[in-house]
Amino acid sequence: MAFWIWATIGVLALVRFVQACISKTKNKMLPPGPRGFPIFGSLHLLGKFPTMDLRQLAQKYGDIMYLRLGLQHTVVVSSARAAELFLKTHDLNFASRPPNEGAKHLIFGQKSLSFAEYGSYWTNMRKICMLELLSNQKINSFKSMRREEVALLIKSVQEDANNRRISNLTDKVMSLGIDMTCRMLFGKKYKDEEFGGRGIVSVMKEGLTKKMKAVNNVFDDFYEKIIDEHLQSKDTERTKDFTDAILAYMGSEESDYRIERLNIKAMMSDMLVASADTSSTTVLWALSELMRHPQVMKKVQKEIENVVGLNRMVEESDTEKLEYLDMVVKETMRLHPVDPSAWEDAEKFVPERFEDSNVYVRGHHFQILPFGSGRRRCVGMQLGITVVHFLLAQLVHCFDWELPDNMLPNELDMTEEFGLAVSRAKNLLAIPSYRLQN
Ligand SMILES: *[C@@H]1O[C@H](CO)[C@@H](O)[C@H](O)[C@H]1NC(C)=O
């Protein structure tokens, strides 16, 4: 999930450091790594499954290795021990983000939280996002919205169950993530038609690859329209969303910058990119693992049954009491993607490994860093954890799941797709049957 945003950007951060080393010492201080070709560097070593390729390279060259990807100097950090060096011991040295060719083409480039230099601008933007969207109080204020949206999803899965139809979980869970994000950020849901019928996330993903400029224009228009609508709205009754809140900062000035429309759009874009598909991706991995491990699925269902019973749905407040569910989420985050050096039986899905363990996912234990760590760690951690627990609990409590075409649990395809969030390459399809007694 946010891991890849963090990892990718973390790697970009090292570029300047490496460049400095190169110019000062003529390569002497670089970590070991494959030599690579002129111009392309080591790009040819990364195939269809880059996480696996990088893992294999790390076994050969070490947990801090140097790769040249095209013209980009890159340092890849692949173990808990090395991550701690970069994100804790020397965090301040790596907290900034150098000017970067890629970021320039990304939406609002270095004005955004992800790519801004470490300094007063970045600190202030981060504080605003925290205060206006990601604080516990704000997260709570959107609780009834989440309840409503998740209930809609449950209802649509229930229809599939009634008709013994296959449920397209990828489609439903991804759409839910986008709907909830849009309601928090912009005050309403946006239909796929706004993006040529293809949906926000698929357009966003295109923007990260080939069609950066065209996609940036689409999103720029989209944010402009939302800002105009908010500025013109006379409806004082409606619940304040994130856009309302940050528009109040427009025109405010600090010594070295002023918050303008561009900065507002950068914040909107940051929050959209960071939350639209991250929690959904985690929930889909967790569901897939549960379908592959029916005993674990039963154990989660049993736990929820004990706390909630079978006569009502799960509420967000129930999830605090669901310890095994929490272990399942941790285990999912640990495994996708995995650091094999830090764990015993690293490739196996065993939530029980977190029983009586004091390893948490919040960034102090470097063998599991779904939200990164240090100054640049994910600001949306609490929101992400809340959404993942609630949605997963609901889907598991309301339904039993069966794979289509008599597929056996261990036949479910778990191939990863490389991107900002490491997501499932194949859509998750399953047949639900409703199990509550109401
Ligand atoms: C499931 O949903 C995804 C995402 O919307 C879509 O690309 C895919 O075609 C759907 N698959 C089926 C079998 O309906």
Side-chain angles (χ1 to χ4, degrees), residues 182 184-188 190 222-223 226 230 241 243 268:
C182 285
M184 279 190 301
L185 298 181
F186 314 132
K188 65 172 185 184
Y190 282 86
F222 177 62
Y223 299 132
I226 293 171
H230 279 75
D241 55 56
T243 307
M268 292 163 80

Side-chain angles (χ1 to χ4, degrees), residues 213-256:
K213 274 221 177 92
V215 170
N216 281 350
N217 288 339
V218 172
F219 274 98
D220 199 31
D221 292 348
F222 177 62
Y223 299 132
E224 283 289 341
K225 201 176 101 198
I226 293 171
I227 292 178
D228 285 339
E229 281 171 7
H230 279 75
L231 290 174
Q232 284 154 14
S233 170
K234 302 265 183 317
D235 183 1
T236 48
E237 297 288 284
R238 77 195 158 84
T239 330
K240 293 267 178 275
D241 55 56
F242 180 67
T243 307
D244 291 309
I246 53 175
L247 278 172
Y249 294 84
M250 192 134 86
S252 65
E253 245 170 306
E254 297 291 324
S255 54
D256 47 352

Side-chain angles (χ1 to χ4, degrees), residues 168 170-171 427 429:
N168 188 338
T170 300
D171 189 48
N427 295 309
L429 308 172

Side-chain angles (χ1 to χ4, degrees), residues 135-313:
S135 67
N136 283 336
Q137 193 202 341
K138 289 284 169 179
I139 293 173
N140 256 329
S141 75
F142 290 109
K143 192 178 189 163
S144 59
M145 178 280 284
R146 286 192 293 273
R147 189 172 190 265
E148 209 175 292
E149 291 299 324
V150 172
L152 286 176
L153 170 106
I154 296 295
K155 198 161 154 239
S156 104
V157 177
Q158 219 173 338
E159 274 164 28
D160 290 336
N162 291 341
N163 295 298
R164 290 299 289 160
R165 267 198 313 246
I166 295 175
S167 243
N168 188 338
L169 279 163
T170 300
D171 189 48
K172 289 184 204 288
V173 171
M174 285 292 171
S175 307
L176 172 74
I178 293 160
D179 287 348
M180 292 200 293
T181 301
C182 285
R183 284 188 68 181
M184 279 190 301
L185 298 181
F186 314 132
K188 65 172 185 184
K189 295 189 245 188
Y190 282 86
K191 294 264 174 327
D192 290 352
E193 287 85 75
E194 306 255 355
F195 293 85
R198 284 169 310 141
I200 293 181
V201 166
S202 53
V203 176
M204 217 151 58
K205 281 188 177 155
E206 261 173 38
L208 293 167
T209 52
K210 309 165 269 224
K211 305 175 184 156
M212 276 191 185
K213 274 221 177 92
V215 170
N216 281 350
N217 288 339
V218 172
F219 274 98
D220 199 31
D221 292 348
F222 177 62
Y223 299 132
E224 283 289 341
K225 201 176 101 198
I226 293 171
I227 292 178
D228 285 339
E229 281 171 7
H230 279 75
L231 290 174
Q232 284 154 14
S233 170
K234 302 265 183 317
D235 183 1
T236 48
E237 297 288 284
R238 77 195 158 84
T239 330
K240 293 267 178 275
D241 55 56
F242 180 67
T243 307
D244 291 309
I246 53 175
L247 278 172
Y249 294 84
M250 192 134 86
S252 65
E253 245 170 306
E254 297 291 324
S255 54
D256 47 352
Y257 59 90
R258 189 182 142 92
I259 297 184
E260 314 266 17
R261 229 175 149 96
L262 182 69
N263 312 93
I264 300 281
K265 287 190 285 186
M267 277 191 274
M268 292 163 80
S269 158
D270 264 327
M271 295 300 109
L272 179 63
V273 171
S275 76
D277 68 343
T278 41
S279 302
S280 313
T281 301
T282 307
V283 168
L284 289 169
W285 278 124
L287 281 171
S288 315
E289 291 293 358
L290 291 176
M291 288 183 205
R292 274 169 66 89
H293 300 89
Q295 330 79 294
V296 180
M297 174 74 99
K298 285 222 178 69
K299 198 165 158 185
V300 185
Q301 287 179 324
K302 196 85 218 153
E303 177 182 53
I304 307 178
E305 228 175 287
N306 288 340
V307 171
V308 177
L310 284 173
N311 296 314
R312 67 167 178 90
M313 289 190 192

